[in-house]
Amino acid sequence: MLGTLLFLLIILPFLAALGCYLFRMAFLRSLLVVGSGVVLTVCSLALIGLEPFEFKPPALLWLNADIVVSVLDFALLFLILYIGFRLKNNLIKFLAALQIVVMAYLELFMMEHGASHAAIRCDTLSLVMVLIISIIGSLICIYGLPYMRKHEQHLNLPRSRQPRFFAFMLVLLGAMNGLVLSNDLLYFYFFFEITTLCSFLLVRHDLTDIAKRNAERILWMNSVGGACFALAMMWMYPTTKTLELSAILQMAQGSNLMLWPLALLILAAFTKAAQTPFQSWLTGAMVAPTPVSALLHSSTMVKAGVYLAVRLAPAYHGTFLSTAVALFGAFVFMTTAALAMGQSNAKKVLAYSTISNLGLIFACAGLNTSAAITAAILLIIFHAISKALMFMCVGTIEQKIHSRDIEDMRGIFGKMPLVAMFAFIGALSMLLPPFGVLLSKWMAIEAAANNIFVIAMVAVGSAFTVVFWTRWAGVMSNFPSGRPEPDHQPFLTIAPLGLMTIGAIGVSIFAPWIYSHFVSAAVPAGADAYKISAGVFTTLSGAFWVYPLVVLMAAATFLALRAARKSRNDPHASPYLSGLTAVGPKTFIGPMDKPVNIQASNYYMLNVFGEEKLTMWVNMGALILLAILLGGAL
Amino acid sequence: MQFIKNFIAKSRAKSPWIMHFDCGSCNGCDIEVLACLTPMYDVERFGVVNVGNPKHADVLLVTGTVNPRNQKVLRNLYDQMPDPKGVIAIGSCGLSGGIFRDCYNVVGGVDKVIPVDVYVPGCPAKPEAIIDGVVKALGKFESLRRAG
Amino acid sequence: MIIKYIIPVLLGVFAAPILGGLISGVDRRLTAWLQSRYGPPILQPFYDVAKLFGKKRNPVNTWQVFCAWLYCTAAMVSVIMFMLQADLLLIFFVQATGATFLVIGALSAVSPYSQIGGHRELIQILTYEPMLVLVFVGMYLVTGSFEVGTIAAYDNPLLIKLPLLFVVLGYALTIKLRKSPFDFSTSHHGHQELVKGLTTEYSGPHLALVEIGHWYEVVLVLLVVSLFWATNIFGAVILVAITYFAEIFVDNITARMTWRWMLGRVWFVGLAMSLANLVWLYAS
């Protein structure tokens, strides 16, 4: 039973990917993607209640699973090395070679093989991650089906590239499931590298010059992370004599010898989660088709980074490293939110917002109290849903209006009301009570209140967040009076969007239940960081009303909606244009009695928050903090 | 319910927010309009606020002659004021076009374009007269109260 | 049950706007006095709002109606939560919800005046939000709680331990009340470069809702001010009165500044003062 579930969760996506790659029929592909989505969802749900468990992967035919993973790992590294040669990129060559040498030394000369161990381990944290990956990831893949069809219609390719696209998407899901379920760092590393390779291939998908360039950047930046990971394993092995995560976590507590390898692992997590100064790979990844961005941002890839940090949190509890991670995370939260302020490119806003939220998760992991870890895990959940929703909405809108600029989304409510509503709810779910993201932000602020610098940066960062989300929501609703024209989207587009919207609202409402059933058990040491009574999260220092707020805000929204419905038949006024409103609502009477279009645009404050102005300083600050982090660990 | 209705009706008379539009005045009447708001006359005593925005205004004060160019603006501003509303034409020019009445580019008084409730004569109209005009316009709201 | 829940809720729903309206009336009277005018009756704000309710509905679009309602109700909910002694951060988040919707409503209108007003309001939110969070953190560091009840029950006036944070709150208060020099998202007088900015496109009953929402907000912010002298009701009232008079005074002697000046100035001075005050608390 357990074996079957794990097989379905980890190996099945690989097999389905192979199927997608080999059989080029669109119908079969849809069937495979939807089918594996359903299977993944069901299996991840079936896993609930079975945790915690350990599992020894059985020998495949006559081969030990460990050996298979090691061999594949080397194959993967050589593949990356080969890609490095193909791209003539010395950095990738060097990093891949370094990893090969380190891994070879580790596996051939240091490690004692053969000892049977449980390479797969599932506790509640892993389970939460599996649920996120399997459910949200599958929905994104399904959403990708109609998206990619439309995407290729514009490109006029001689031969469809969809088979490989969906193959890599599915591989990414399988690899992520493997990653969060691995207990052996070698397995972890293997899956870690697969996600790197997959995102490289997916971002490269369109084969435009910019896509190729940005994909190359993904590969080298994440190879830095991979190299750190490999070095960390080599470094810690003499001390720990094992690479089992659960054993390492126990050994590391209070051991100063482990700080350096831990710091390297954290660095690997930072690169994976695109924290500054590595943010450019994720912002560059925006050239990929939107399902890729949605997948990378919400449930896979970057979440591997924060998962690692949260997983390792007990190991560096109470050390300087922990404080440094908190400071670094808060710094990233603030600065990348500031960078998002200066963006009018919707996908870039989303990218920076993702990096920013991941920064907050790192900050929480660094604060390392049970309350903070709770905040981190909840934020992983809520962020995954809201971000997936936002990306899918932006993708749908982009295919309709052929632009991803926020300015071009002005009045999108009039053109595609349903999708605009979803996007509106998605944007608000990132910043307003009683939505879950705010709940975790509240937790983060209260947990950070004892560290002045962290709290100051979190306070400033969350103000930035409010501005750029509100601005966007406002632009989408910018709409002269009248009924919006209905818009027809394929079922496979609307269904994932609708489900995700319901999910975003649902998880927020059931946050207390999610906390007491999943998250509290996933928080190491101190499961009762929050007491829950009648849907209110209570600590010694404060309380977050979930149910009461849901009721109050629902009542307020109901009243507002009723008033809005009623006023649909009111005479609608023309906008105030100094008395020069022309016939159309968006024009005024200009010189020579000619109508002139109104031009209004958002404040982006480019000379303060522009990417060119800010990025250098942000990277410098981040490097200094990283130096402090690594130096302090010594 | 009746109490609320009465209070609203009473409030109409107590809170006339004005909007001043200069159609093409020589600025004499405009200065007198603004003089009403100074500490000397202090019309805010009666709840009068110069809002400068048709969407918030109850009373439109118009000075100057109407010409073909600005009559659209006048019309538009008037249309953008939510009901109930009143219009006060101020000064000789606003009343009839004044000495510019027969010019080739003059349409005439304000009432050629929008319905006017109160006419305040003078060249320029005195602040006292303008205040009296506003009070008269409030009479329109009063009659609304009696009717409604 | 009645004393613990119903009375505070009723106070929050009904007493707060009445108080807010009266404060607004007194504000106008005092402003008039400072300008050697006589000024409107104290009840003037109520006449204004009643009149606005009596006007015909004429919104620019349905979003605006939705947003006006949510602004008002969210502001009301935040006051109710304060009366029920909830978590200050949470109260403030709910209030921010209202502020957000007010901006969305302004941005939903096509008029550029309303758009610019909305954006300026966002910058105002950006400016005061971190300050308020830091003030609450200061309260937490002194009293060990973010909850209104516990903070109010602290045995010494917070002002003694948080003098600098009180000044920071003053900045936030000036911005929140949209008083000079920070009144650039909307203004109380017409004939300005952005007409009425944020509220340009709200009209009639919807403007009335915005006005009532603003009263709730004013009351909420003043309640936060009163927490700085919560040991004694007279102390609290006097502190609030002095603070509010200072606001009116500042309003009358300063000119409107630019957002750049506000953001730079308030963040620089505000963050420096907040951090200084928080460091004291750590040190002691």
Side-chain angles (χ1 to χ4, degrees):
Chain A
M1 167 70 181
L2 213 54
T4 321
L5 276 183
L6 289 173
F7 175 82
L8 289 176
L9 281 171
I10 303 173
I11 313 287
L12 175 81
F14 285 87
L15 296 179
L18 199 63
C20 278
Y21 194 73
L22 293 179
F23 308 113
R24 304 182 52 84
M25 290 90 86
F27 172 73
L28 203 60
R29 183 163 60 238
S30 305
L31 205 65
L32 275 171
V33 171
V34 175
S36 44
V38 171
V39 171
L40 281 178
T41 309
V42 171
C43 289
S44 61
L45 289 173
L47 216 55
I48 297 174
L50 295 179
E51 90 291 353
F53 62 80
E54 293 194 337
F55 183 78
K56 245 166 48 187
L60 263 172
L61 302 175
W62 64 94
L63 279 173
N64 184 337
D66 296 358
I67 295 176
V68 174
V69 167
S70 298
V71 170
L72 286 176
D73 202 2
F74 278 107
L76 197 62
L77 288 173
F78 276 107
L79 182 61
I80 294 176
L81 186 64
Y82 168 73
I83 293 172
F85 274 101
R86 277 286 297 276
L87 297 174
K88 299 195 184 70
N89 187 321
N90 287 332
L91 205 52
I92 296 176
K93 278 187 251 176
F94 167 72
L95 288 167
L98 177 68
Q99 289 180 70
I100 292 173
V101 172
V102 169
M103 290 308 292
Y105 183 73
L106 177 69
E107 297 233 22
L108 297 177
F109 300 109
M110 293 173 76
M111 274 181 70
E112 295 160 34
H113 290 278
S116 102
H117 65 300
I120 302 280
R121 187 165 183 278
C122 178
D123 59 6
T124 319
L125 179 57
S126 307
L127 175 69
V128 168
M129 294 301 294
V130 169
L131 285 169
I132 292 174
I133 296 159
S134 302
I135 300 175
I136 300 176
S138 303
L139 275 177
I140 294 171
C141 286
I142 293 170
Y143 163 84
L145 290 168
Y147 183 93
M148 288 311 287
R149 204 170 305 138
K150 253 192 218 169
H151 185 72
E152 291 207 338
Q153 271 168 12
H154 298 296
L155 295 177
N156 294 325
L157 295 177
R159 191 176 145 89
S160 167
R161 287 170 63 78
Q162 286 186 53
R164 38 177 292 144
F165 181 83
F166 284 100
F168 296 139
M169 294 278 276
L170 288 172
V171 166
L172 199 50
L173 290 189
M176 275 304 291
N177 270 338
L179 186 142
V180 297
L181 287 169
S182 307
N183 190 33
D184 188 326
L185 278 185
L186 283 175
Y187 281 55
F188 195 107
Y189 174 69
F190 170 62
F191 290 122
F192 198 76
E193 290 296 297
I194 295 185
T195 58
T196 302
L197 189 67
C198 271
S199 35
F200 164 75
L201 292 166
L202 283 170
V203 170
R204 212 179 130 80
H205 182 76
D206 281 342
L207 294 179
T208 55
D209 285 343
I210 185 159
K212 284 182 184 164
R213 202 166 50 239
N214 291 348
E216 200 173 324
R217 194 185 304 144
I218 290 189
L219 201 55
W220 81 254
M221 281 197 174
N222 280 293
S223 293
V224 172
C228 287
F229 203 108
L231 282 173
M233 282 196 288
M234 190 176 80
W235 203 308
M236 69 170 63
Y237 193 77
T239 323
T240 57
K241 297 288 175 221
T242 174
L243 286 178
E244 271 186 51
L245 207 46
S246 49
I248 290 168
L249 287 184
Q250 273 174 0
M251 258 179 256
Q253 278 159 13
S255 154
N256 281 331
L257 278 175
M258 290 293 288
L259 277 183
W260 246 92
L262 280 177
L264 281 175
L265 284 179
I266 292 290
L267 197 56
F270 285 162
T271 55
K272 199 93 218 170
Q275 300 293 287
T276 52
F278 303 105
Q279 80 278 37
S280 57
W281 81 252
L282 194 63
T283 53
M286 292 300 117
V287 297
T290 306
V292 177
S293 325
L295 201 57
L296 294 189
H297 280 257
S298 63
S299 50
T300 63
M301 191 70 182
V302 294
K303 288 286 154 71
V306 287
Y307 166 74
L308 184 59
V310 173
R311 173 59 81 197
L312 292 175
Y316 54 80
H317 183 80
T319 60
F320 173 77
L321 180 62
S322 194
T323 317
V325 170
L327 272 177
F328 182 83
F331 175 79
V332 173
F333 175 62
M334 177 179 75
T335 50
T336 47
L339 280 165
M341 291 271 295
Q343 286 299 325
S344 71
N345 178 335
K347 280 180 97 178
K348 270 206 162 171
V349 171
L350 290 180
Y352 277 125
S353 148
T354 299
I355 303 171
S356 167
N357 275 295
L358 297 174
L360 188 59
I361 297 173
F362 278 119
C364 289
L367 289 168
N368 228 330
T369 59
S370 52
I373 300 288
T374 309
I377 298 173
L378 281 174
L379 195 53
I380 291 178
I381 302 174
F382 296 132
H383 173 257
I385 298 178
S386 295
K387 209 31 92 51
L389 172 62
M390 279 316 284
F391 264 110
M392 296 200 288
C393 288
V394 168
T396 315
I397 292 173
E398 186 187 355
Q399 286 198 326
K400 171 115 180 173
I401 63 172
H402 305 295
S403 164
R404 50 176 70 162
D405 198 297
I406 290 179
E407 290 300 327
D408 296 325
M409 292 184 195
R410 210 160 268 282
I412 195 69
F413 178 70
K415 287 182 208 138
M416 32 198 336
L418 192 59
V419 177
M421 269 323 283
F422 291 150
F424 193 75
I425 294 174
L428 295 187
S429 74
M430 292 297 293
L431 80 156
L432 294 187
F435 284 109
V437 176
L438 193 91
L439 167 67
S440 27
K441 206 170 274 176
W442 170 80
M443 288 179 168
I445 292 179
E446 300 219 339
N450 287 313
N451 187 329
I452 314 178
F453 295 102
V454 174
I455 189 70
M457 289 194 278
V458 170
V460 172
S462 66
F464 285 133
T465 313
V466 171
V467 174
F468 66 79
W469 284 117
T470 310
R471 190 169 71 186
W472 191 354
V475 162
M476 285 192 292
S477 64
N478 178 278
F479 172 60
S481 61
R483 295 278 169 98
E485 28 184 300
D487 169 59
H488 299 290
Q489 293 285 342
F491 174 73
L492 284 184
T493 303
I494 289 297
L497 286 176
L499 282 175
M500 212 61 99
T501 311
I502 294 170
I505 298 171
V507 290
S508 304
I509 294 176
F510 294 110
W513 183 83
I514 291 174
Y515 170 74
S516 49
H517 282 77
F518 295 101
V519 180
S520 65
V523 178
D528 51 351
Y530 296 90
K531 284 192 188 59
I532 295 192
S533 61
V536 176
F537 283 87
T538 322
T539 60
L540 288 175
S541 60
F544 192 100
W545 304 1
V546 181
Y547 293 164
L549 255 188
V550 167
V551 172
L552 285 171
M553 295 312 280
T557 312
F558 172 75
L559 276 178
L561 274 178
R562 209 184 54 157
R565 274 187 82 82
K566 246 202 229 163
S567 81
R568 267 210 301 223
N569 298 324
D570 287 338
H572 283 205
S574 54
Y576 176 69
L577 294 171
S578 306
L580 286 169
T581 313
V583 190
K586 289 199 155 190
T587 48
F588 65 90
I589 305 165
M592 310 301 291
D593 274 348
K594 294 277 188 312
V596 179
N597 278 330
I598 301 166
Q599 292 280 332
S601 151
N602 287 345
Y603 276 25
Y604 293 105
M605 298 166 262
L606 288 179
N607 45 8
V608 186
F609 297 112
E611 216 174 13
E612 306 79 34
K613 293 249 170 181
L614 219 52
T615 303
M616 191 185 79
W617 298 106
V618 169
N619 286 348
M620 222 134 76
L623 281 173
I624 291 171
L625 281 172
L626 277 184
I628 293 173
L629 187 147
L630 289 175
L634 260 178
Chain B
M1 215 51 219
Q2 194 54 42
F3 169 75
I4 294 174
K5 264 188 192 157
N6 281 340
F7 187 69
I8 288 177
K10 184 177 157 202
S11 301
R12 275 197 190 115
K14 279 189 160 291
S15 159
W17 287 0
I18 60 165
M19 146 114 184
H20 166 215
F21 181 56
D22 172 1
C23 257
S25 154
C26 65
N27 280 179
C29 293
D30 303 330
I31 287 168
E32 302 303 324
V33 167
L34 292 181
C36 300
L37 303 166
T38 57
M40 172 81 182
Y41 298 99
D42 188 24
V43 281
E44 207 194 348
R45 276 178 298 166
F46 313 117
V48 175
V49 178
N50 184 6
V51 286
N53 172 8
K55 307 225 158 167
H56 295 181
D58 306 297
V59 179
L60 180 61
L61 306 186
V62 191
T63 55
T65 55
V66 180
N67 60 41
R69 173 82 188 154
N70 65 26
Q71 68 173 350
K72 287 179 210 152
V73 180
L74 181 60
R75 181 83 231 174
N76 187 251
L77 291 178
Y78 177 77
D79 287 343
Q80 285 188 341
M81 287 168 59
D83 287 318
K85 58 193 170 190
V87 178
I88 304 175
I90 292 170
S92 311
C93 305
L95 262 49
S96 62
I99 54 164
F100 307 108
R101 185 173 65 238
D102 293 328
C103 288
Y104 67 95
N105 61 342
V106 166
V107 173
V110 176
D111 54 5
K112 290 267 168 59
V113 182
I114 54 175
V116 173
D117 298 296
V118 179
Y119 297 86
V120 178
C123 184
K126 290 180 108 180
E128 289 90 342
I130 295 172
I131 295 171
D132 188 45
V134 173
V135 173
K136 284 254 164 43
L138 295 180
K140 178 188 173 188
F141 295 142
E142 279 290 314
S143 61
L144 272 180
R145 173 188 180 184
R146 257 173 257 122
Chain C
M1 177 71 189
I2 290 180
I3 292 185
K4 206 170 161 211
Y5 295 109
I6 296 181
I7 291 181
V9 170
L10 291 180
L11 273 179
V13 175
F14 297 108
I18 293 174
L19 191 64
L22 285 176
I23 289 172
S24 172
V26 172
D27 183 337
R28 283 172 73 172
R29 240 345 222 279
L30 279 175
T31 301
W33 175 65
L34 285 172
Q35 297 168 357
S36 6
R37 290 188 289 117
Y38 186 75
I42 302 278
L43 292 181
Q44 186 61 41
F46 297 103
Y47 297 136
D48 290 348
V49 163
K51 171 205 70 181
L52 287 171
F53 271 122
K55 297 206 85 164
K56 289 257 166 58
R57 287 199 303 262
N58 197 7
V60 282
N61 57 29
T62 41
W63 278 100
Q64 198 190 26
V65 180
F66 178 75
C67 291
W69 272 87
L70 261 184
Y71 169 61
C72 187
T73 40
M76 183 173 84
V77 169
S78 64
V79 174
I80 293 175
M81 289 173 69
F82 191 97
M83 300 312 282
L84 291 176
Q85 313 197 329
D87 190 295
L88 268 180
L89 281 171
L90 190 59
I91 294 171
F92 162 67
F93 288 142
V94 172
Q95 178 273 327
T97 310
T100 304
F101 273 103
L102 184 64
V103 172
I104 292 177
L107 292 183
S108 79
V110 175
S111 165
Y113 301 104
S114 155
Q115 299 262 325
I116 294 174
H119 281 290
R120 289 186 178 184
E121 176 72 9
L122 274 181
I123 296 170
Q124 295 193 179
I125 293 175
L126 174 65
T127 313
Y128 72 72
E129 206 184 280
M131 302 302 136
L132 278 180
V133 171
L134 289 176
V135 168
F136 297 153
V137 168
M139 289 180 169
Y140 161 74
L141 287 177
V142 175
T143 63
S145 176
F146 283 98
E147 292 199 321
V148 173
T150 322
I151 293 171
Y154 190 69
D155 14 296
N156 288 313
L158 288 176
L159 188 59
I160 297 166
K161 288 208 169 160
L162 302 171
L164 292 181
L165 277 174
F166 186 74
V167 180
V168 173
L169 180 66
Y171 273 108
L173 183 63
T174 319
I175 300 172
K176 191 73 230 170
L177 293 172
R178 302 202 186 91
K179 296 232 178 254
S180 283
F182 307 131
D183 59 340
F184 57 70
S185 74
T186 181
S187 58
H188 286 285
H189 309 283
H191 291 297
Q192 306 216 357
E193 84 282 18
L194 75 169
V195 192
K196 294 288 275 186
L198 186 67
T199 56
T200 302
E201 294 289 340
Y202 289 98
S203 67
H206 308 122
L207 182 64
L209 284 173
V210 171
E211 196 58 32
I212 293 177
H214 187 62
W215 293 349
Y216 278 115
E217 284 193 334
V218 170
V219 170
L220 179 69
V221 185
L222 292 180
L223 282 172
V224 174
V225 170
S226 75
L227 281 181
F228 274 83
W229 207 291
T231 47
N232 180 318
I233 183 84
F234 296 108
V237 170
I238 291 171
L239 183 69
V240 169
I242 293 175
T243 314
Y244 201 83
F245 184 75
E247 291 295 336
I248 296 173
F249 188 69
V250 168
D251 185 30
N252 276 286
I253 59 165
T254 50
R256 163 193 295 192
M257 299 302 287
T258 63
W259 68 261
R260 233 176 276 270
W261 182 85
M262 175 182 75
L263 195 61
R265 178 70 171 233
V266 175
W267 272 17
F268 184 73
V269 178
L271 280 178
M273 289 213 281
S274 312
L275 288 181
N277 205 331
L278 292 177
V279 169
W280 293 353
L281 292 177
Y282 274 105
S284 60

